[in-house]
Amino acid sequence: MDIREIARRAKVSTATVSRAINRVPTVDPQLAKRVWRVVDELGYYPNTQARALVLGRTRIFGLIVSEITNPFFPEIVQTFEDLAVENNYEILLTSTVHDPKRMESSVRRMIERRVDGVAILTFGMEESLIEHLRDRKVPLVFVDVGPDVPGIANIRINYLSGIRQAVQHLAAMRHTRIAFIAGPEHLKSAGARREAFKTSMMEIGLSPDLVVIGDHRMEGGMNALLELNKMSARPTAVMCSNDMTAIGVLREAYEQNIKIPDDLSVVGFDDIHLAEFTIPPLTTVQMSQHGLAEIAFNALLNEVDNSTSSREQHSYELVTSLVLRKSTALARGVGSAITPEKSNRTTRHRKAAESTAR
Amino acid sequence: MDIREIARRAKVSTATVSRAINRVPTVDPQLAKRVWRVVDELGYYPNTQARALVLGRTRIFGLIVSEITNPFFPEIVQTFEDLAVENNYEILLTSTVHDPKRMESSVRRMIERRVDGVAILTFGMEESLIEHLRDRKVPLVFVDVGPDVPGIANIRINYLSGIRQAVQHLAAMRHTRIAFIAGPEHLKSAGARREAFKTSMMEIGLSPDLVVIGDHRMEGGMNALLELNKMSARPTAVMCSNDMTAIGVLREAYEQNIKIPDDLSVVGFDDIHLAEFTIPPLTTVQMSQHGLAEIAFNALLNEVDNSTSSREQHSYELVTSLVLRKSTALARGVGSAITPEKSNRTTRHRKAAESTAR
DNA sequence: AAGCACTTGGAAAACGTTTTCCAACTTACG
DNA sequence: CGTAAGTTGGAAAACGTTTTCCAAGTGCTT
């Protein structure tokens, strides 16, 4: 069933049907109504491929993520989809699972399907692939790419703001041996978090060298804690490069019968929804997934519409900030005279929060 | 850059380029190589819209899920995508978030984009919508639709197998007051789980009436436990309609200082990856997400290829089974003479597992 | 040398739209 | 009544492929 069929039945030309469907204002309302009636009766849906072919626009945005099974991403995907529905776009979702082959095939698929833009939320992608896309003039949004790739909209994440708050929060609770569980070494974003940790620690005169490498998964968090436990001078607090790592730490601590937060304070990064439901609830650095998705989508939209004009706002920034829950407490041995009763601890907590969170 | 450009540069006809690209065996290898060289040099990618238009196949499968932010689904999406990549398909992913409007727009989008098939992994979808798709002869796979919709491939899930194991496992540990936290009332799949629980309980002469309604989210699990606590005769064990609910229960128990599993045994359903990392690790009923996705994808593939022949295998079954971890234990008061020392408890656990799991 | 089988190219139709051009028609206004 | 302005329809081009038809070319067999 095509537009010609509709034209025949409504006794108008295909041109008129097209105009009616696309709500061109010049068309007579009476006529338009007649067309719409036939469309509804027959359950006609325009063929988007054909439309895309002539328009040179597919109304599809590509979205490349690292790993859809990491709970960080579904929230982004959901927001992205909400916006897509609102703006009549589709999403072509691709998950690279850290595999260079998959990254390549992702890019190929995006090009083959002629998406109108791509948001890249995976890290460690070959520069040549990015250039491949850029050379085709596909609008791109990127998270955290260095300043070295010109002509690409970039969402910079201010890791320092939140991580500094976290470190100061821990220091305020008398922690001095604070470890960091980093992400995979090749990940730029993981490197940036680590850098921010280092900076924050040095600012307040603490040693930033207690670092062990994780993988941004729960498994890595478990292993990292094992690692940390082997050390002669064990840390009393640990910052994790993301929440999944922190969940792993919590889990391994349970296994080892290490009490959180009494024996060890832990703070995560990302503030995924789950962080509110861990045991104990996770103190973590918030990086709004909703905000990230929104910025990415709008950047793309912007770039598609004003394809020629306004190439200005090419860089966006997302700040991070600490959210306090229950996985951090006074360092061991400090204030041990006070009964570690639950409500008490919470109160102290809140105080510390106020002193550092602003 | 189109196929004509390639033809010109390779000094062959567009017909030959098309044949070469699609690996039609009759074309001379020499010539094919020449064509491919030009293709690579120019970085040419065939336009899939144009191809779809003439072929009448888009090589896109629709995938409709309830809620991508529920960790149950990303694993399915990942497997689905793996298979899509392997078979040169794309996925059009849609998340209905339990909103009838979104369900409608999902279906509309699938039709507009002319997907080659749709896997419906959302529940409580209007029958009229499904018929809308079926009337268009879009191949469909469905999870758990009743036997009332003919002409649609259906994946039936054997909830009973796993739930019966779980109930018997609990009974073997001397639990008699076993509660069930159900899913949203309108969900067919949630209803089926509840039915399976009821059946299993009655089989062994226990009352199946201790039921409270949840929402398949962590929040609902928390509320449900609150509810349960108000009861005069509190349950000693609780089965949850899905793992997210169980995670909520664990969380609220922590809040209430109820020890899991000593004070309360809890078992989940789904066996999401996360279930291994809760505190304590969650005993749960496994329903392979990987298997589900695989069946769904292959069913679709099958239906597209043999569009006319073999309409046989229209129903698939997925069995469920209990996986034992640490969130269940002997009922309180039973064998309390034994010191509840950790390794001991684990051993008992394993034994119970063996007696019921087969 | 003739005949045959196979490969190749040229041309064109087809897929389902949007859009342009021009002509024809309607309406409103002076 | 004549004219201008606006709406509508018909026809056709365009988007980028695949595929079919037919004719021409190539190499092999007899």
Side-chain angles (χ1 to χ4, degrees):
Chain A
M1 176 179 16
D2 59 3
I3 203 175
R4 288 180 286 248
E5 175 81 15
I6 306 296
R8 225 172 301 134
R9 300 229 190 185
K11 301 203 190 309
V12 297
S13 72
T14 63
T16 308
V17 175
S18 176
R19 290 187 201 116
I21 287 178
N22 293 297
R23 305 191 187 288
V24 173
T26 64
V27 55
D28 176 55
Q30 283 291 331
L31 243 194
K33 202 171 285 175
R34 202 166 85 215
V35 170
W36 276 109
R37 184 158 39 237
V38 177
V39 165
D40 287 343
E41 249 167 42
L42 267 64
Y44 163 78
Y45 293 81
N47 182 319
T48 41
Q49 335 283 333
R51 188 180 265 172
L53 203 53
V54 40
L55 256 32
R57 287 274 166 85
T58 52
R59 297 197 83 85
I60 301 178
F61 280 149
L63 178 58
I64 305 183
V65 304
S66 303
E67 226 180 350
I68 184 69
T69 52
N70 176 338
F72 177 73
F73 291 106
E75 317 217 354
I76 290 181
V77 172
Q78 183 66 60
T79 302
F80 214 83
E81 205 212 304
D82 294 346
L83 291 167
V85 170
E86 243 173 66
N87 292 278
N88 235 303
Y89 270 81
E90 294 312 327
I91 297 177
L92 179 48
L93 177 69
T94 261
S95 170
T96 63
V97 290
H98 309 291
D99 177 354
K101 278 221 189 70
R102 288 294 280 272
M103 296 187 193
E104 206 184 302
S105 83
S106 280
V107 170
R108 183 178 44 70
R109 290 157 67 192
M110 300 284 160
I111 297 176
E112 280 180 354
R113 296 283 169 175
R114 300 295 192 270
V115 298
D116 291 344
V118 180
I120 302 181
L121 271 58
T122 186
F123 309 102
M125 188 181 264
E126 285 263 356
E127 213 150 296
S128 64
L129 281 177
I130 299 167
E131 278 160 12
H132 204 47
L133 280 167
R134 198 196 38 189
D135 292 350
R136 284 200 158 48
K137 316 241 177 294
V138 182
L140 291 180
V141 199
F142 222 100
V143 172
D144 253 350
V145 67
D148 40 343
V149 182
I152 292 182
N154 186 10
I155 306 176
R156 291 197 340 98
I157 295 174
N158 188 336
Y159 296 106
L160 191 56
S161 57
I163 289 184
R164 179 188 277 141
Q165 281 176 34
V167 165
Q168 293 188 353
H169 162 65
L170 290 172
M173 290 194 153
R174 311 286 199 282
H175 291 277
T176 52
R177 287 197 310 283
I178 306 174
F180 187 76
I181 304 179
E185 297 201 68
H186 61 278
L187 252 69
K188 252 187 186 162
S189 72
R193 292 170 197 202
R194 185 174 168 174
E195 249 351 276
F197 171 75
K198 203 166 161 179
T199 306
S200 306
M201 289 290 278
M202 286 174 37
E203 276 176 4
I204 56 174
L206 293 178
S207 158
D209 296 327
L210 218 52
V211 174
V212 16
I213 305 295
D215 60 2
H216 274 186
R217 299 171 174 200
M218 301 182 283
E219 289 85 344
M222 293 183 71
N223 288 333
L225 182 57
L226 249 27
E227 202 86 1
L228 252 22
N229 272 347
K230 286 190 208 135
M231 297 186 170
S232 50
R234 289 195 198 171
T236 61
V238 53
M239 279 211 58
C240 303
S241 189
N242 78 346
D243 283 345
M244 295 312 279
T245 303
I247 292 176
V249 168
L250 259 29
R251 173 71 173 71
E252 183 64 33
Y254 166 78
E255 205 74 38
Q256 307 282 328
N257 212 19
I258 296 170
K259 295 277 171 273
I260 312 281
D262 306 304
D263 300 336
L264 181 72
S265 287
V266 359
V267 1
F269 194 104
D270 280 346
D271 193 25
I272 57 179
H273 183 56
L274 211 51
E276 230 177 307
F277 296 88
T278 57
I279 295 176
L282 191 65
T283 292
T284 188
V285 175
Q286 183 217 351
M287 155 162 143
S288 165
Q289 286 116 78
H290 179 76
L292 186 57
E294 203 167 61
I295 292 176
F297 191 92
N298 287 328
L300 244 29
L301 213 51
N302 200 39
E303 207 137 344
V304 169
D305 288 348
N306 320 357
S307 55
T308 151
S309 69
S310 82
R311 276 241 169 284
E312 339 96 15
Q313 174 70 336
H314 247 349
S315 189
Y316 308 80
E317 174 167 306
L318 194 72
V319 305
T320 57
S321 67
L322 186 65
V323 2
L324 285 163
R325 287 197 269 258
K326 304 292 181 62
S327 63
T328 49
L330 272 186
R332 267 255 139 152
V334 179
S336 55
I338 302 167
T339 323
E341 199 255 296
K342 208 175 182 185
S343 56
N344 255 0
R345 183 161 56 68
T346 310
T347 318
R348 258 185 283 140
H349 232 175
R350 289 275 150 70
K351 281 231 194 71
E354 276 170 13
S355 67
T356 65
R358 51 196 68 198
Chain B
M1 175 182 14
D2 58 3
I3 204 174
R4 287 180 288 251
E5 174 81 14
I6 306 296
R8 225 172 300 135
R9 301 231 192 185
K11 302 203 188 311
V12 296
S13 72
T14 63
T16 308
V17 175
S18 176
R19 289 186 202 119
I21 287 179
N22 293 298
R23 305 191 188 289
V24 173
T26 65
V27 55
D28 177 54
Q30 284 290 331
L31 242 194
K33 201 171 285 176
R34 201 165 86 215
V35 170
W36 276 108
R37 185 158 40 237
V38 177
V39 165
D40 287 343
E41 248 168 41
L42 267 64
Y44 163 77
Y45 293 82
N47 182 319
T48 40
Q49 336 282 335
R51 188 180 265 174
L53 204 52
V54 40
L55 257 31
R57 287 273 165 85
T58 52
R59 296 196 84 84
I60 302 178
F61 280 150
L63 178 58
I64 306 183
V65 305
S66 304
E67 225 180 351
I68 185 68
T69 52
N70 175 338
F72 177 72
F73 290 107
E75 315 217 356
I76 290 181
V77 172
Q78 183 65 61
T79 302
F80 214 81
E81 206 213 305
D82 294 345
L83 291 167
V85 170
E86 243 173 68
N87 292 277
N88 236 304
Y89 270 81
E90 293 312 328
I91 297 176
L92 179 48
L93 177 70
T94 261
S95 169
T96 63
V97 290
H98 308 292
D99 176 355
K101 278 222 190 70
R102 287 295 280 272
M103 295 188 194
E104 206 183 303
S105 84
S106 280
V107 170
R108 183 178 45 68
R109 290 157 68 192
M110 300 284 161
I111 296 176
E112 279 179 354
R113 296 282 170 176
R114 301 293 193 272
V115 298
D116 291 343
V118 180
I120 302 181
L121 271 57
T122 186
F123 309 102
M125 188 181 262
E126 285 262 357
E127 213 151 298
S128 65
L129 280 177
I130 298 168
E131 278 160 13
H132 204 46
L133 281 167
R134 199 196 37 190
D135 292 350
R136 282 199 160 49
K137 315 241 178 294
V138 181
L140 292 180
V141 198
F142 223 100
V143 171
D144 252 349
V145 67
D148 41 344
V149 182
I152 292 182
N154 185 12
I155 306 176
R156 291 196 339 97
I157 295 174
N158 188 336
Y159 295 106
L160 190 57
S161 57
I163 289 185
R164 179 187 278 142
Q165 282 175 33
V167 166
Q168 293 187 352
H169 163 66
L170 290 172
M173 289 196 153
R174 311 287 200 282
H175 292 277
T176 52
R177 287 196 310 285
I178 306 174
F180 188 76
I181 303 180
E185 298 200 67
H186 62 278
L187 251 68
K188 251 186 187 163
S189 72
R193 291 169 199 204
R194 184 175 169 174
E195 245 356 270
F197 171 74
K198 203 167 163 180
T199 306
S200 306
M201 288 291 279
M202 285 172 36
E203 276 175 4
I204 56 174
L206 293 178
S207 158
D209 296 327
L210 218 52
V211 174
V212 17
I213 305 294
D215 60 1
H216 274 186
R217 299 171 175 198
M218 300 182 283
E219 289 85 345
M222 293 183 71
N223 288 334
L225 182 58
L226 251 26
E227 201 87 358
L228 252 23
N229 271 347
K230 284 192 209 133
M231 297 185 171
S232 48
R234 288 196 198 171
T236 60
V238 52
M239 280 211 58
C240 303
S241 188
N242 78 346
D243 283 345
M244 296 312 278
T245 303
I247 292 176
V249 169
L250 259 30
R251 174 69 173 73
E252 183 64 32
Y254 167 79
E255 205 74 38
Q256 307 282 330
N257 211 18
I258 296 171
K259 294 278 173 271
I260 312 280
D262 305 304
D263 300 336
L264 180 72
S265 287
V266 359
V267 2
F269 194 104
D270 281 346
D271 194 25
I272 58 179
H273 184 57
L274 212 51
E276 231 178 307
F277 296 88
T278 57
I279 294 176
L282 191 64
T283 291
T284 188
V285 175
Q286 183 216 352
M287 154 161 143
S288 166
Q289 286 115 79
H290 179 76
L292 185 57
E294 204 167 59
I295 292 176
F297 191 92
N298 287 328
L300 245 30
L301 215 50
N302 201 38
E303 208 138 343
V304 169
D305 288 349
N306 319 357
S307 54
T308 151
S309 70
S310 83
R311 276 241 169 285
E312 339 95 17
Q313 174 70 334
H314 248 349
S315 189
Y316 308 80
E317 174 167 307
L318 194 72
V319 305
T320 58
S321 67
L322 186 65
V323 1
L324 286 163
R325 287 198 269 260
K326 304 291 181 63
S327 64
T328 49
L330 272 185
R332 266 256 141 151
V334 180
S336 55
I338 303 165
T339 323
E341 199 253 298
K342 207 175 183 185
S343 55
N344 255 359
R345 181 160 57 68
T346 310
T347 318
R348 258 187 282 141
H349 232 175
R350 289 275 150 71
K351 280 232 194 68
E354 278 171 11
S355 67
T356 65
R358 51 197 68 199

